[in-house]
Every structure is written in structure tokens, then in C-alpha cells.
Amino acid sequence: MNIHAIRAIYRFEMHRAWRTLTQSIISPVISTSLYFVVFGAAIGARIPEIDGVSYGSFIVPGLIMLSLLTQSISNASFGIYFPRFTGTIYEVLSAPISYLEVVISYVGAAATKSLILGVIILATAGMFVPLRIEHPLWMVLFLILTSITFSLLGFIIGIWADGFEKLQLVPMLIVTPLTFLGGSFYSINMLPPFWQKVTLLNPVVYLVSGFRWSFYGIADVSPALSLAMTLFFLAVCVAIVGWIFRTGYRLKA
Amino acid sequence: MESIISIKALSKRYQGGFEALRHIDLEIRRGEILALLGPNGAGKTTLISIVCGIVNATEGEVTVDGHDIVRDYRAARSLIGLVPQELTTDAFETVHSAVSFSRGLFGKPANPAHIEKVLRSLSLWEKRNNRIMTLSGGMKRRLLIAKALSHEPRVLFLDEPTAGVDVELRRDMWQLVRGLQADGVTVILTTHYIEEAEEMADRIGVINRGEIILVEEKTKLMQKLGKKQLTIQLQAPIETVPASLAGLGLDRSPDGETLTYTYDAAHEQPGIGDLLNKLNNAGIGFKDVHTTQSSLEDIFVSLVKDTR
Ligand SMILES: Nc1ncnc2c1ncn2[C@@H]1O[C@H](COP(=O)(O)OP(=O)(O)OP(=O)(O)O)[C@@H](O)[C@H]1O
Ligand SMILES: [Mg+2]
């Protein structure tokens, strides 16, 4: 294991986040706070409790997931795309470092940032609405698994992308809609029966549901299924990354 | 002499089918300075990129100090430092952190003393806390060299290291390369400045259209291919070359004031003394005589032209 290399890349990436603090931490916190002000306080007061949880509190896990997903993807995809774009990737490719180590350092750094962000948003949420965490260990587990999985997805996007537009494409056209439609702001039980079935095809449903369960003990699908699906996405992403590196796809001519 | 890099039957076909390298065989000797010359698009950068692990070979094998670059990539790559042709650097990092980063990337524990030594040798120490984007082009080039030297490589690839570098700095760089060679580092450089190869290299390789057309000791190469020319300035113009001097290959200039005699440096042949005697006998007086030897540049141009 080339520990020095992992540490070097990890530090470099964390340093980049620190340098772009406004973009990486402050702006997600502000936008999440706006959601709380609008949905939690202004509109939420007129929405009845869902399964005994006030609407403002109900949306907290979904909002955290929303930030976690979009930030993991954008962090990780940018982290690997940018060196490809500027050409500095040559140094990583020429270094005595295995692909596993490359993934650990880039994805590890992106996942760390997402985790930190998740905790900050959680704390921010606590200032607006009452919070209750029934299964803290499960919450942390879901938080970590989701950060890693979507950082891996971001890494894949960063390697696949051949322009800045594509970097934005997946988060904007796929992930954000899926998150909004994935029960971040409502319980899928509130939907007509047909749409409930359709919604189950949306992977984000399982993430949000499991995460919310760890807070309030209420879930749209069973927590075990949520965990299984999360692990399944993780496995899919790992497999794709493995394939990318075996073939050198878009990294080496 | 023992070789440190051994390239066997290496071919590269890029996606789209372009054959950038065809069946390259090359042994690079431990401790030498090898200059790779070749016109734009010859395949120099491709060759270097394959050895360094940036481009995948289509066929063939490369070993670095006995380590296969694919199977044993860790051992192979940790011996190599690369200064790429393009000025690719981060913008926001400082000089010092960029160089330390490179050292870590190559698996070496931090060593501030070494980093300082490298930065000083490249006159970058004063700039160590500056962001990279505030550096000039020549400074960025030196930064890339510093990054490549940060992990104490045994083999250094310099892909056009002196492009865009001022004359004084170029001499400093040559000095640096000689110093590295004295420490036992093998240096492979590509350049379009032939005088640079002439000045620096122990051996010279010429690549054209993906093929190595020649690898030779510089001195031998210049002997073997170098033409010498004797120019004789006459006291009085002559109309024709006298019959007694015909068959020696003398060229009369259009104004009849000079004669030139071209001969091969390899065969110190039909004595110049002889020739001058013959001139005397023919009653042709001369004011001045001088010889010129063709430069590496002439040699290079004629080599590449032949294969075009
Ligand atoms: N990624 C790539 N995809 C397709 N073709 C490529 C690629 N990189 C290089 N080539 C082609 O391979 C050939 C060799 O390129 P290379 O960069 O090795 O030349 P070079 O000898 O370094 O030239 P120069 O002196 O201009 O730097 C060129 O014809 C180039 O167009
Ligand atoms: Mg080149």
C-alpha cells in the first residue's frame, strides 16, 4: 500500500475543499436553511403531522440526503475530472500507485467532505426544528454508506464526462429529480397506489426511507430493504469503477 | 554497457488506428544522457508516456531496472521522474506544497531538506510560498522539473525541457542535468534544439514516423555522418578547374574565386596536403583555407529527409 500517496491526494483534495469553502460548505448550508424556512416554518406549519412527526422535522432526513447526494457527486466528479481537464492527471497516472489507492484517496476525500457537510446540515436543522434520532448508529451507517456510494458515482461521472456540461448533466437531470420524487418531502404512502409502485423503482426512495427510519422509526420500506439496496448500489458502483480501471477507460490513451 | 531501460518490440496504435510507434527496440544505458530527436509527431512523447505509465502500449515490453512496467509497475515507476512537454500544473497550490505532494505521490516520506535542495537548485526557493498561477512560464517549467526530482528518481525523462526557457536558464538547466548524471541518474531528453543534444547527450536517438531510425554515440555519429568541407579562397578567379585537378571532386564557385572540397570525416583521405600541392603545381595561388564540419543539425535534417 502506498500510504504516502493516499495521504498526499487525500490532503490535496481536502485542501481544495477548504480553499473553496463557500462553494463546498457554506452554499449547501444556506440553501438547506432556506428549505427549512420555506417548508419547515412557512408552509410546514399548515401541513399536518406525518406519522406523529411535524412536517418540519419530517423533511430533515430527506434534505440531508438531498445535499449528501448532490454534494458527493459534484465533489467527487470534479475532483477527478479537473485533473483530467488540465492534464495534471499525468502525475497520478505515472505514480507508483494502484487504482484501488487512487479510488480510496479521491473517493475517501469526497465522502469525508459529504459527511462533514451532512453533520453540519443536521446541526443547522436542529436550530430550526426539534430533532429526534432513535437509531444513531444506523443513522451514521446510512450517512457513511450513502456518502461513499455517491462519491463513487461521482467519480465514475468525472471519468466518463468529456466536458463540464456532462459533469452537471447527471446531477441535474437525474439525481435531483430522483431525490425530489424519492420521498424527501413526503411519505410515499401519500401517493396514489399506482405511483407508489412506480416510486419503488426510484433508488433514492430506499436511501431516504432508511435514513428517516433511523431518525423517527418510521419508514416507507423496511429498513433492512433500505440497507440491502444501499449496499447493492455500492456494489454496482464498485464494479463499474473496477471495470474502468481494468480497461483504463478514458484515463489512458 | 548495462542498460537500465529496455524497450522491446514496442508498438502503439491509438484509438482510431493511427500507428504512433512501430516496433521500437531501444536499450537505454545506466547513467547516460540520451537525446531523442525527431520532427513533430514522430512519437517521442508517446514513447516516453508508455514508459511512464500514462499511455498503454499496444504491443511489446518495457522494463525499468529489470521491473516490467505493467506487472511490476510500482517498482518501475518509483524509479522514474517525468517532466512532461505540456505545462500542466495546478493553479492555486503553492510551489512548496505542489512539490511535497509529488514526493508523497511517489511513496516517499516527507523530507523538507530534500525539497529545499531541489527548489534551491532550480532557483525556486524564493517562490516557494507563491501560488503556481503567479509564476512565469519558465518558472512553471522549472516547477515541473522540481516535482519530477522530488522523489529522487534514478531515471529522469525530460520532454522538451528547454522549450520557452531563456538562454541563461537553459545553461543552468544543462548544468543541473550534468549534476544529476554525476549522481548516477540516467537522463532521457527530447528536444528540437539540436545544439542542445550536441551539447548534452552521450548518445543520440532519432525517431521518425514512429520508428527509431538510428541510435548512436554522439561522437561516432558526427564522425560517421559528418561531412567535412575544405574551402579554398583563390588569389585570382579561375575560369575552369584545370584538367590536372579533375576527378578530385572540386567545386568551383560561380564567381570562380573559391574552390570547395568535400570529404568524409571517417576516411581521413586523399590528403589535403596532396591537394594543396596539386594546386601549387597547377599554378593556382590561394589566399586562405578553412574547413567546416557539418553540425548535428545538418545530419539530422538529412536523416529525416531520407525517410520522408
Ligand atoms: N491521444 C492520442 N490519440 C490519437 N493520436 C495521438 C494521441 N497522442 C498522440 N497522437 C499522435 O501520435 C503521433 C505521435 O505523437 P507524439 O506526441 O508522440 O509526437 P512527438 O514526437 O512528441 O511530437 P512533438 O515534437 O510535436 O512533441 C502524432 O501523429 C499524434 O497526432
Ligand atoms: Mg512531444
Side-chain angles (χ1 to χ4, degrees):
Chain A
M1 230 11 171
N2 187 344
I3 297 293
H4 293 292
I6 295 179
R7 193 183 299 151
I9 297 178
Y10 186 86
R11 277 215 192 126
F12 178 90
E13 282 296 297
M14 295 308 282
H15 187 227
R16 188 170 62 82
W18 186 246
R19 212 172 45 219
T20 53
L21 196 65
T22 7
Q23 188 200 326
S24 48
I25 304 274
I26 297 178
S27 68
V29 168
I30 290 179
S31 62
T32 318
S33 303
L34 288 176
Y35 278 116
F36 282 122
V37 171
V38 175
F39 290 107
I43 301 177
R46 292 156 194 264
I47 298 179
E49 293 190 342
I50 301 172
D51 295 327
V53 180
S54 77
Y55 186 69
S57 304
F58 180 85
I59 61 172
V60 170
L63 277 178
I64 295 177
M65 273 293 161
L66 181 63
S67 301
L68 220 54
L69 262 49
T70 48
Q71 290 302 312
S72 297
I73 290 178
S74 73
N75 254 323
S77 61
F78 197 79
I80 190 71
Y81 179 74
F82 200 65
R84 285 181 56 220
F85 175 73
T86 59
T88 52
I89 190 81
Y90 86 86
E91 206 178 7
V92 173
L93 293 177
S94 70
I97 175 171
S98 72
Y99 289 135
L100 178 65
E101 290 156 359
V102 174
V103 173
I104 290 176
S105 26
Y106 277 104
V107 172
T112 309
K113 283 181 252 179
S114 301
L115 270 178
I116 294 173
L117 185 73
V119 171
I120 292 177
I121 292 178
L122 186 61
T124 315
M127 299 193 297
F128 290 92
V129 290
L131 282 182
R132 182 175 91 225
I133 302 174
E134 286 189 4
H135 311 285
L137 281 182
W138 285 100
M139 188 213 63
V140 172
L141 182 71
F142 273 116
L143 211 55
I144 293 177
L145 283 178
T146 310
S147 301
I148 294 177
T149 305
F150 282 81
S151 297
L152 274 170
L153 180 61
F155 188 84
I156 293 167
I157 293 168
I159 285 181
W160 162 77
D162 49 15
F164 280 98
E165 320 81 60
K166 281 198 182 168
L167 224 48
Q168 308 289 348
L169 209 65
V170 176
M172 275 200 348
L173 291 187
I174 302 177
V175 178
T176 309
L178 284 184
T179 320
F180 272 91
L181 301 176
S184 296
F185 298 103
Y186 53 85
S187 163
I188 62 170
N189 295 326
M190 297 157 114
L191 297 173
F194 172 74
W195 288 108
Q196 282 190 28
K197 293 253 164 47
V198 174
T199 301
L200 288 178
L201 296 175
N202 178 352
V204 179
V205 166
Y206 301 91
L207 301 174
V208 171
S209 168
F211 197 49
R212 187 178 290 131
W213 169 82
S214 71
F215 278 75
Y216 307 120
I218 52 172
D220 291 336
V221 294
S222 88
L225 183 58
S226 289
L227 183 65
M229 289 302 270
T230 311
L231 291 174
F232 173 71
F233 299 138
L234 182 63
V236 170
C237 289
V238 168
I240 297 175
V241 168
W243 173 83
I244 286 174
F245 282 142
R246 259 202 322 281
T247 57
Y249 173 75
R250 293 218 170 157
L251 275 173
K252 291 191 182 188
Chain B
M1 211 191 290
E2 185 206 4
S3 63
I4 187 159
I5 293 185
S6 159
I7 299 171
K8 294 208 172 74
L10 189 69
S11 297
K12 174 64 189 179
R13 195 174 302 108
Y14 277 112
Q15 241 165 7
F18 183 80
E19 263 198 299
L21 294 178
R22 304 175 203 193
H23 218 79
I24 299 271
D25 288 301
L26 179 63
E27 299 288 324
I28 299 170
R29 298 170 184 170
R30 193 181 297 273
E32 77 172 336
I33 298 178
L34 174 71
L36 284 177
L37 303 179
N40 287 141
K44 304 178 294 294
T45 300
T46 302
L47 179 62
I48 290 176
S49 300
I50 291 176
V51 178
C52 294
I54 297 166
V55 168
N56 287 325
T58 310
E59 274 161 39
E61 258 186 32
V62 180
T63 58
V64 181
D65 209 8
H67 307 288
D68 186 278
I69 56 160
V70 178
R71 275 184 307 258
D72 204 1
Y73 67 93
R74 269 188 215 270
R77 290 185 199 166
S78 53
L79 295 170
I80 297 178
L82 165 66
V83 180
Q85 179 174 4
E86 306 289 336
L87 282 177
T88 44
T89 56
D90 292 302
F92 302 102
E93 295 296 309
T94 65
V95 167
H96 195 278
S97 70
V99 177
S100 308
F101 170 81
S102 301
R103 185 175 169 90
L105 200 56
F106 277 75
K108 293 272 163 66
N111 181 347
H114 178 71
I115 303 286
E116 177 172 349
K117 191 183 113 197
V118 168
L119 287 178
R120 282 193 190 281
S121 72
L122 286 154
S123 327
L124 282 173
W125 182 244
E126 277 65 43
K127 296 274 179 188
R128 65 189 177 281
N129 294 320
N130 289 37
R131 285 186 170 195
I132 295 171
M133 61 187 174
T134 67
L135 301 183
S136 76
M139 291 174 191
K140 283 186 189 146
R141 176 78 58 193
R142 277 181 280 154
L143 171 69
L144 289 179
I145 299 179
K147 281 164 82 72
L149 292 177
S150 67
H151 64 278
E152 302 157 68
R154 302 310 297 158
V155 180
L156 181 65
F157 284 94
L158 295 163
D159 202 350
E160 297 190 27
T162 50
V165 167
D166 68 40
V167 183
E168 192 186 348
L169 208 60
R170 192 176 302 168
R171 305 223 165 257
D172 288 352
M173 223 173 252
W174 293 353
Q175 206 60 45
L176 181 87
V177 168
R178 287 209 187 84
L180 288 169
Q181 185 182 35
D183 291 341
V185 177
T186 307
V187 181
I188 296 95
L189 60 90
T190 73
T191 178
H192 290 289
Y193 300 110
I194 311 235
E195 74 272 17
E196 188 161 82
E198 208 163 342
E199 168 86 25
M200 298 294 303
D202 298 315
R203 285 199 308 159
I204 291 183
V206 179
I207 303 191
N208 193 25
R209 297 166 155 211
E211 284 174 288
I212 296 241
I213 51 183
L214 164 149
V215 187
E216 188 80 77
E217 310 263 345
K218 179 184 64 189
T219 44
K220 275 203 198 126
L221 178 66
M222 311 223 357
Q223 266 171 20
K224 194 152 97 187
L225 295 166
K227 291 243 163 55
K228 281 195 171 180
Q229 237 174 19
L230 177 73
T231 311
I232 305 159
Q233 293 215 306
L234 306 179
Q235 264 162 356
I238 53 170
E239 291 290 311
T240 50
V241 179
S244 59
L245 298 174
L248 288 174
L250 283 174
D251 272 335
R252 190 187 68 95
S253 63
D255 59 8
E257 295 200 0
T258 56
L259 288 173
T260 48
Y261 174 52
T262 308
Y263 59 102
D264 243 319
H267 327 99
E268 292 292 348
Q269 59 194 56
I272 295 173
D274 230 25
L275 177 77
L276 297 182
N277 270 337
K278 283 189 178 151
L279 280 176
N280 261 333
N281 294 343
I284 302 177
F286 46 88
K287 295 190 283 205
D288 197 12
V289 191
H290 71 271
T291 62
T292 49
Q293 183 165 16
S294 55
S295 67
L296 195 54
E297 184 156 341
D298 306 327
I299 299 171
F300 173 71
V301 168
S302 69
L303 264 176
V304 170
K305 199 167 59 208
D306 286 352
T307 56
R308 270 246 163 98

